Amino acid sequence: MTARPSLTVDVADVTYDHRLEPHVRVHHALPGRTRLRLDPLRGRHDLLGALARRVAAREGVADVRESPCSGALLIEHDPRLTAEEIAAMVRNLWRSGLTAPVAPAPADAETRAWHAMPSAAVASAFASPNGLSEGEALERLYRIGENRLAEPSPPSPLNVFVDQFKSAPVALLGGSAALSIATGGLIDAALTLGVITLNAGIGASTESWTANLIRRLARQTDPDAIVVRNGQEMRVPTSRVAPGDWIALKTGAAVPADARLLQSEALLVDESSLTGESFPVEKSADAFVLEEAPLAARRTMVHRGGIVTNGAGLAIVTATGAASEIGRVRGLLQSTHPPKPPMDQALDRLGVRLTIACLGASSILALMLLLRGAPLGAVARSAVALAVSAIPEGLPALAASTKAIAARAMSREGAFVRNVNVLETAANIDVLCLDKTGTLTQNRMQASVVRTLASRYDLGEDDRAPVGARLVAKFAALCNDAQLSDAETPSAGSGTELALLRLAAAAGLDLDELRATLPRTGVQLRSEQRLYMVTAHQNGDASLLAVKGAPHQVLNLCAKVRSGGATRALSDADRAQIARQNDELAQEGLRVLAVARGVGLGLGDEAPTQLEWLGLVGLRDPLRPGAAQMVATLQRAGLRTLILTGDQAGTARRLAQDLGFSNDGALDVVDASALRDMSATTLRQTIRTTEVFARVSPSDKLAIIRALQAEGHVVAMTGDGVNDGPALRAADVGIAMGKSGADVARDIADIVIADDDLGTLARALARGRTADENLRRAVRFLLATNASEVALLLAEGLHGPNALETPAQLFWLNLMTDVFPALGLSMARPAADILDRPPRAASQDVFGRDELRSIAGDALRMAMPAIITHVIGTARHGSGPRTRGLTFLALASHQLAHALRLRPGRPVSDLFDRPVELGVAAAYVLLAAPFAFAPLRNMLRIAPPRLVETATIVGFSLLPIAARLMARRSISR
């Protein structure tokens, strides 16, 4: 009997089997949520993690969580996918082999100057003269590891817990506990230490939950790369690229690994993420590079993280994963700690200021009691009570939890955040640069008009192209890298080129026959300066050129024109007529391309001349549904919206008009070619008034964004294509369309809109602002409530130490207010008018003087009723449990009412979606507990108030809220 192959094998072994059905089984399933059990991978953290990352990169999967202890994967996915479909996908990924997630850098990697070696020598060194075979690639992956960058390991739970004690407020509470022990207040000391420990536990669990969420949100994607294996091009996940693989580089692709160029054609690569270069750099396989050349000058190399913005190339992989240049940088970063986000830094500074203020208030209280002749023990206990009341114990964990909650809510709504700290920046966005194609439009290009010199042909979606458009369609199809789908292969190529192929098919042309009859012999690709593409073809014994591109540049290359079935010289009158035709099509909102040919001409190093003008093609890309409403929403939110498009000025103007940009009758449109000769000062003046930039290149987008940032603006950029990559990276917040966007755009962006819905973009902006407002609101609440307790203690100090609230009472108050209401405020849903207000200025001090003055006013409004209650209670009952119980109830009621006052305005229909109200309700339960349970009441040293006293105090605290609700209802009627 043949032994069954084991699936729990070492990393160096093959880890797949074609009989995986029993080993990948559905353990539990709900719509959109499937838990799989993979018993052979139980305890194999490395292999299960590798599989989880590959599953997370698949389309339709939102999140994956692995449990090595049980060998389970919890997969959140598109509800339209069944549990068995998810299981089948996991089996297929497992069958392709599992290897160690990350390999260390080889010891000799630093000594090999691949950039200075001839390409043939590099291929020989990797034993890869023509690329790898599938078996060779798998063997290298098992030996070296997956092509993944090392992910930072999470800190140990013990270290996270210990870090919770490293703050000035906690040190002050520890000192107060020591003082309680010294003065005989053992119960107060135990409560103080208990609260410190409880707060540390809550903070540690919150930080760990937040860190896990951040790691899941920022999980590395695994886009496909094109490799040459077994002599054929094929797509494999980036993680499965091995050293020695030949990779094909094409416009729009992300470079999957460090590689030495073998071939290159007009190749430009954006390597700003690695080298800091502002613009894409030219690469050449034949360039001479010195061994000591710095990274940015190695023109023969491409590096992982780069983006191909123009041209094409073929390269052999020299380093993957941790051995790549960007992997080395990641390794250096492992030993360094990134700076804290601005909000965290502000909260740290606030904690120090609170500690200093607390010491000052304690000194004032101690002086007051000493002047009244109080004994030192009573003075010390009173100082402890004030320290307890002044420190908001829940403050340290508040920022991280608030941002994590907001990021989680955004992901449920279809907007995925790479780093939760970007939410701080999103709240300050005041300029939004909108890419046209794929963002404002549907990226469903369709040839709508063909315009020759003498005739115009209008085409419907299903129309047969007229005979007069046939010649234009033929050469547009020849000068084309796209591939229309058939029964076996999907469509591939840009939306523009696919639309031109569909035009040729509608004209009755057989595309396969056309390309076979006129085979391509050379190509000159479009670049930032050369806004056209040229292909050379063999036409029997003669040569032929096909050209398509920007009308003004193609027209300059032409000396002849095809008109009336004959070719003649192109006159100045013809040129003027063609320019008018171009303007007319652009004003209709069409993207316009020119088509020309060169009969008997070959492809050289210089631009072709003596071409024959054939005509213009106008392409229509319909606006996305709701695009105009979204733009209006963003403008109402105080954002300045700009359009950055590669189309010419007339097309861009019509688009802006359709989107409602010219409601005020004025619309400034600037051709980006004019920007290149501007000084920095002139450019900054121009961007202050311009709303639309036409004919922009990737470098133009970069220049515009940097000029806006130099003016002090916080800039967001939307995009979906490779040409948007550098701008998405340079913007303060890059926003990519996830469904139709290029892999490179999704990988670079800070926020990815999964469904391409512009409404999701507006909701993501609302969530960003809400996270900022919620955090500020929760901090304001904590500071105001604790300050109200300090104010009450100082007022009670005038009556002597016996009149003061006890530390136990204040601990219970802080437990009520610092947990549930503050958490509810941090989780509050967006206010109804969140997008009807301007953004908060980035320069505004989060906790400046005006904010602190307002917090002081809130504190006095809460403290005064408690002080009055204390005075009345003392007059009626003297200093003791009755008065302390009344004062405790009054202060707590007004603190909880203050939480309700701070909640954002929401529609009445959201009754069951109100975390603030639920948090306050839970706090009221905690408020009632001491009065209901005698042991707790005795520990706090309070007595229960009478029913009428309770109703009066609670009712008085809620009276302003009830009045405001009644006023709102009367206005709404």
Side-chain angles (χ1 to χ4, degrees):
M1 183 175 176
T2 304
R4 186 170 187 168
S6 172
L7 294 177
T8 55
V9 297
D10 293 332
V11 172
D13 297 329
V14 176
T15 58
Y16 68 91
D17 177 25
H18 290 284
R19 295 171 293 178
L20 287 172
E21 282 72 11
H23 303 293
V24 180
R25 53 190 176 86
V26 178
H27 182 66
H28 180 70
L30 293 171
R33 189 180 175 94
T34 299
R35 184 184 296 275
L36 301 177
R37 289 292 296 271
L38 303 90
D39 291 334
L41 296 186
R42 183 179 298 169
R44 293 304 305 267
H45 185 279
D46 52 352
L47 297 182
L48 189 64
L51 182 59
R53 283 185 286 271
R54 294 176 65 188
V55 172
R58 297 300 93 185
E59 184 176 355
V61 175
D63 190 21
V64 180
R65 278 169 272 183
E66 65 267 25
S67 175
C69 294
S70 60
L73 289 180
L74 177 61
I75 304 171
E76 296 181 14
H77 53 83
D78 189 326
R80 290 173 294 185
L81 295 174
T82 66
E84 188 49 46
E85 287 173 332
I86 293 295
M89 176 182 66
V90 173
R91 292 182 193 117
N92 288 334
L93 290 173
W94 193 345
R95 285 189 182 106
S96 66
L98 302 179
T99 54
V102 179
D108 64 341
E110 295 182 6
T111 65
R112 307 301 296 269
W114 305 115
H115 57 277
M117 295 172 60
S119 57
V122 177
S124 176
F126 282 93
S128 179
N130 298 295
L132 302 178
S133 67
E134 187 68 19
E136 288 172 331
L138 286 175
E139 187 276 329
R140 296 185 188 195
L141 283 169
Y142 299 138
R143 178 165 47 87
I144 297 173
E146 286 190 343
N147 177 29
R148 289 189 180 276
L149 300 178
E151 296 181 353
S153 56
S156 70
L158 179 60
N159 288 340
V160 174
F161 182 75
V162 171
D163 286 344
Q164 305 304 310
F165 298 93
K166 298 177 181 179
S167 69
V170 172
L172 182 60
L173 287 177
S176 69
L179 191 58
S180 294
I181 294 174
T183 58
L186 297 180
I187 293 179
D188 290 339
L191 284 173
T192 303
L193 295 175
V195 167
I196 292 175
T197 305
L198 177 63
N199 178 68
I202 293 174
S205 62
T206 301
E207 187 173 325
S208 298
W209 177 81
T210 303
N212 289 331
L213 175 61
I214 292 172
R215 281 196 298 274
R216 291 201 302 272
L217 291 173
R219 193 190 296 268
Q220 293 179 35
T221 57
D222 200 10
D224 287 343
I226 303 175
V227 300
V228 179
R229 288 186 183 167
N230 301 323
Q232 295 182 335
E233 284 192 0
M234 61 185 297
R235 290 183 175 272
V236 300
T238 292
S239 62
R240 309 301 286 174
V241 172
D245 259 326
W246 284 23
I247 54 175
L249 304 172
K250 299 182 179 181
T251 301
V255 180
D258 290 1
R260 170 58 163 89
L261 285 170
L262 302 172
Q263 301 171 17
S264 60
E265 169 65 32
L267 186 62
L268 293 177
V269 180
D270 172 24
E271 294 182 331
S272 57
S273 62
L274 184 62
T275 65
E277 293 285 336
S278 300
F279 301 105
V281 294
E282 184 179 358
K283 298 289 184 176
S284 173
D286 301 324
F288 175 75
V289 182
L290 297 173
E291 283 193 25
E292 61 271 18
L295 188 65
R298 297 175 186 175
R299 296 179 57 205
T300 58
M301 295 288 294
V302 291
H303 297 96
R304 177 169 181 151
I307 308 163
V308 180
T309 61
N310 190 80
L314 188 66
I316 182 170
V317 174
T318 58
T320 60
S324 65
E325 292 294 339
I326 199 168
R328 297 176 195 278
V329 174
R330 283 280 192 98
L332 293 175
L333 293 177
Q334 293 294 318
S335 60
T336 61
H337 297 285
K340 286 188 174 183
M343 182 62 76
D344 290 29
Q345 294 180 25
L347 290 177
D348 285 346
R349 292 193 299 269
L350 184 62
V352 174
R353 292 160 68 182
L354 283 175
T355 302
I356 295 172
C358 176
L359 291 173
S362 296
S363 300
I364 293 173
L365 180 61
L367 182 60
M368 291 169 55
L369 295 177
L370 287 173
L371 291 176
R372 292 182 59 85
L376 288 178
V379 171
R381 286 191 293 272
S382 300
V384 168
L386 193 143
V388 168
S389 67
I391 299 301
E393 291 87 353
L395 195 59
L398 195 59
S401 60
T402 301
K403 289 183 284 189
I405 290 168
R408 186 64 175 167
M410 287 175 67
S411 67
R412 287 195 297 266
E413 294 175 353
F416 295 91
V417 182
R418 295 239 178 260
N419 188 326
V420 296
N421 293 324
V422 80
L423 294 176
E424 291 186 36
T425 310
N428 306 130
I429 295 171
D430 60 347
V431 176
L432 178 61
C433 296
L434 296 163
D435 172 61
K436 174 205 164 189
T437 305
T439 302
L440 296 172
T441 63
Q442 300 178 33
N443 200 15
R444 289 197 300 109
M445 285 286 185
Q446 174 200 342
S448 181
V449 176
V450 175
R451 192 78 163 89
T452 63
L453 184 65
S455 305
R456 170 177 173 137
Y457 306 98
D458 291 287
L459 310 172
E461 188 169 349
D462 300 318
D463 288 352
R464 185 91 175 161
V467 176
R470 186 182 177 91
L471 189 62
V472 174
K474 173 183 176 180
F475 280 86
L478 284 174
C479 187
N480 202 306
D481 283 331
Q483 181 69 45
L484 276 180
S485 61
D486 53 29
E488 298 181 358
T489 58
S491 294
S494 70
T496 298
E497 291 200 327
L498 288 171
L500 294 175
L501 291 185
R502 285 190 285 268
L503 169 65
L509 295 168
D510 186 319
L511 298 177
D512 293 334
E513 181 182 351
L514 177 65
R515 289 173 170 173
T517 305
L518 300 172
R520 182 188 291 190
T521 59
V523 62
Q524 194 175 67
L525 295 173
R526 178 188 175 102
S527 68
E528 287 196 18
Q529 290 73 37
R530 186 175 58 240
L531 302 179
Y532 57 85
M533 175 182 176
V534 185
T535 55
H537 302 267
Q538 190 67 35
N539 185 17
D541 295 333
S543 58
L544 182 70
L545 295 181
V547 182
K548 77 170 190 301
H552 67 290
Q553 286 199 9
V554 174
L555 184 58
N556 289 337
L557 304 177
C558 293
K560 295 173 284 187
V561 62
R562 185 76 175 176
S563 179
T567 301
R568 60 176 174 80
L570 187 65
S571 66
D572 290 341
D574 294 333
R575 293 181 185 277
Q577 182 178 345
I578 290 172
R580 286 194 299 271
Q581 292 172 349
N582 175 46
D583 289 341
E584 290 170 0
L585 294 179
Q587 289 169 9
E588 294 177 28
L590 301 176
R591 182 178 186 184
V592 188
L593 290 177
V595 181
R597 69 177 178 180
V599 179
L601 299 178
L603 189 63
D605 294 333
E606 302 297 327
T609 57
Q610 302 300 311
L611 297 180
E612 180 183 342
W613 179 268
L614 298 181
L616 299 166
V617 180
L619 300 120
R620 190 178 302 280
D621 189 6
L623 286 176
R624 286 192 181 278
Q629 292 87 336
M630 188 273 293
V631 169
T633 298
L634 296 173
Q635 291 175 342
R636 191 173 65 249
L639 270 68
R640 182 185 170 204
T641 52
L642 307 180
I643 295 177
L644 277 56
T645 176
D647 291 328
Q648 53 190 321
T651 306
R653 181 180 293 276
R654 177 59 183 269
L655 170 72
Q657 290 171 343
D658 291 344
L659 289 170
F661 272 67
S662 58
N663 288 336
D664 58 357
L667 185 62
D668 291 331
V669 181
V670 170
D671 191 307
S673 60
L675 302 178
R676 294 158 199 163
D677 297 326
M678 290 183 181
S679 65
T681 302
T682 306
L683 175 59
R684 289 170 63 173
Q685 291 173 346
T686 301
I687 64 170
R688 291 171 189 166
T689 57
T690 304
E691 297 166 288
V692 182
F693 293 89
R695 291 206 301 192
V696 293
S697 66
S699 58
D700 293 328
K701 291 181 181 179
L702 274 178
I704 292 168
I705 287 174
R706 290 193 169 123
L708 288 165
Q709 291 169 331
E711 287 281 285
H713 295 290
V714 178
V715 183
M717 172 77 197
T718 68
D720 73 328
V722 62
N723 62 326
D724 302 315
L728 289 172
R729 182 174 280 160
D732 296 287
V733 180
I735 304 170
M737 300 295 113
K739 188 175 182 181
S740 62
D743 286 341
V744 69
R746 292 194 295 268
D747 291 344
I748 288 173
D750 300 297
I751 299 175
V752 178
I753 307 300
D755 55 5
D756 291 4
D757 184 0
L758 294 178
T760 304
L761 173 58
R763 289 192 292 273
L765 176 64
R767 283 288 181 184
R769 289 189 179 183
T770 300
D772 179 73
E773 286 197 357
N774 284 353
L775 179 55
R776 295 171 64 209
R777 192 180 289 116
V779 171
R780 176 173 178 167
F781 172 74
L782 289 177
L783 295 182
T785 53
N786 286 53
S788 69
E789 295 165 14
V790 172
L792 175 62
L793 284 175
L794 291 175
E796 289 178 336
L798 297 174
H799 287 183
N802 293 330
L804 294 177
E805 306 303 303
T806 65
Q809 285 179 256
L810 297 172
F811 272 131
W812 196 262
L813 272 174
N814 288 352
L815 178 64
M816 290 165 44
T817 57
D818 287 10
V819 179
F820 295 111
L823 184 61
L825 287 167
S826 69
M827 295 175 61
R829 308 301 188 260
D833 64 341
I834 190 71
L835 292 181
D836 293 331
R837 293 178 257 139
R840 178 174 64 84
S843 58
Q844 179 184 339
D845 189 353
V846 179
F847 304 112
R849 290 185 178 180
D850 291 341
E851 185 77 7
L852 294 178
R853 192 178 297 114
S854 179
I855 289 172
D858 293 338
L860 287 177
R861 279 191 290 273
M862 286 181 281
M864 285 306 298
I867 293 172
I868 294 171
T869 302
H870 173 79
V871 171
I872 295 174
T874 302
R876 296 184 60 185
H877 310 294
S879 297
R882 283 291 305 275
T883 299
R884 280 197 293 270
L886 291 171
T887 307
F888 176 80
L889 177 62
L891 183 60
S893 297
H894 283 274
Q895 287 180 344
L896 298 181
H898 184 56
L900 295 176
R901 284 196 297 272
L902 286 177
R903 76 195 191 286
R906 299 283 298 164
V908 178
S909 59
D910 292 343
L911 180 62
F912 297 102
D913 189 22
R914 292 177 172 253
V916 179
E917 285 83 344
L918 292 175
V920 171
Y924 268 116
V925 173
L926 288 178
L927 173 59
F931 299 117
F933 298 101
L936 186 58
R937 187 167 62 241
N938 293 335
M939 186 183 71
L940 299 185
R941 288 185 283 174
I942 59 175
R946 296 187 180 92
L947 183 60
V948 65
E949 292 172 331
T950 302
T952 301
I953 291 172
V954 175
F956 183 74
S957 68
L958 297 175
L959 187 61
I961 298 174
R964 189 167 62 178
L965 287 175
M966 293 176 64
R968 283 184 182 175
R969 290 183 178 179
S970 63
I971 292 173
S972 62
R973 292 175 184 173

